[in-house]
């Protein structure tokens, strides 16, 4: 979502997307460090259910991406003006990106398995956990902003000729491959536990 927003010359939209991803990560780390993460990580069925929901959502995004008309990123502002359309900069896009983050259970496993080693039992737990959540969310935010800058530079190359069609098809294919990978790991994990 971040690169597409930047390619559409919507840097303001990209910032909101990046913030939404960071919020999703913060929620997942809060779950992980609150003890609920241990329950999710210890329950193969619940963990698999979250992963399956994520895979289904990724397949849905692939389908939407494939069906969308090809956008010429070089003339997008003219197209919006001609159609009277405005890009979604509101809560809908924000919450869509938060949901994308929330359906990825790997940060919970990361939080449960890695972060406890940095907790000092002699100090208050809540303050330490809150600091870790804020720091990691800030790291995600900065990394995604750097990703957006890279996409901004790629805009020049992808805005010409068949670039938009190629990007649309490659994006849909990547969503399908990610969905298949998540689905495969979930099903093989469930079969291995039986």
């Amino acid at each position: 979502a971040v690169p597409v927003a930047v390619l559409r010359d919507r840097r303001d939209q990209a910032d909101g997307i990046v913030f939404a991803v960071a919020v999703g990560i913060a929620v997942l780390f809060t779950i992980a460090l609150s003890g609920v993460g241990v329950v999710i990580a210890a329950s193969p069925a619940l963990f698999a259910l979250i992963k399956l929901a994520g895979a289904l959502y990724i397949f849905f995004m692939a389908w939407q991406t494939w069906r969308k008309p090809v956008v010429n990123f070089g003339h997008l502002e003219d197209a919006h003006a001609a159609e009277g359309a405005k890009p979604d900069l509101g809560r809908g896009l924000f919450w869509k990106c938060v949901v994308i983050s929330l359906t990825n259970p790997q940060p919970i496993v990361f939080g449960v398995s890695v972060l406890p080693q940095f907790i000092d039992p002699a100090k208050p737990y809540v303050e330490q956990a809150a600091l870790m959540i804020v720091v990691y969310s800030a790291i995600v935010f900065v990394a995604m902003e750097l990703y957006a800058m890279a996409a901004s530079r790629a805009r020049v190359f992808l805005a010409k000729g068949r670039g938009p069609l190629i990007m649309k098809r490659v994006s849909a294919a990547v969503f399908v491959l990610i969905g298949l990978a998540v689905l495969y790991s979930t099903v093989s994990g469930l079969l291995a536990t039986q």
Side-chain angles (χ1 to χ4, degrees):
V2 173
V4 171
V6 173
L7 289 170
R8 289 182 173 171
D9 201 20
R10 299 302 311 193
R11 189 69 178 105
D12 54 341
Q13 195 177 43
D15 291 338
I17 292 167
V18 167
F19 182 66
V21 170
V23 166
I25 294 294
V27 169
L28 290 175
F29 267 48
T30 301
I31 290 168
L33 293 173
S34 69
V36 176
V38 175
V39 173
I40 291 171
S43 170
L46 184 56
F47 187 67
L49 183 66
I50 293 169
K51 286 174 67 175
L52 284 174
L56 291 174
Y57 193 70
I58 291 168
F59 286 136
F60 175 71
M61 291 187 333
W63 179 71
Q64 280 188 320
T65 302
W66 190 267
R67 289 191 50 225
K68 283 183 185 177
V70 174
V71 176
N72 183 337
F73 293 112
H75 304 291
L76 188 70
E77 294 305 319
D78 296 336
H80 280 308
E83 296 171 7
K86 290 187 173 182
D88 181 7
L89 298 175
R91 288 181 269 182
L93 181 62
F94 175 83
W95 288 111
K96 177 182 177 183
C97 294
V98 170
V99 167
I100 291 168
S101 290
L102 292 177
T103 58
N104 177 7
Q106 275 70 22
I108 293 175
V109 174
F110 176 78
V112 168
S113 60
V114 174
L115 295 182
Q117 67 183 326
F118 299 106
I119 299 289
D120 181 355
K123 295 182 179 173
Y125 178 80
V126 173
E127 285 118 11
Q128 292 179 81
L131 179 63
M132 284 187 220
I133 291 165
V134 168
V135 168
Y136 190 75
S137 297
I139 290 169
V140 166
F141 183 83
V142 169
M144 295 299 285
E145 282 291 336
L146 292 172
Y147 190 39
M149 285 186 230
S152 181
R153 294 203 183 264
R155 183 179 193 275
V156 174
F157 300 106
L158 294 173
K160 298 177 185 172
R162 292 178 44 100
L165 176 63
I166 292 168
M167 190 183 84
K168 179 182 107 153
R169 296 282 164 83
V170 168
S171 295
V174 167
F175 282 139
V176 168
L177 290 174
I178 292 170
L180 288 172
V182 171
L183 194 59
Y184 174 77
S185 73
T186 303
V187 171
S188 62
L190 285 173
L191 293 175
T193 60
Q194 294 180 0

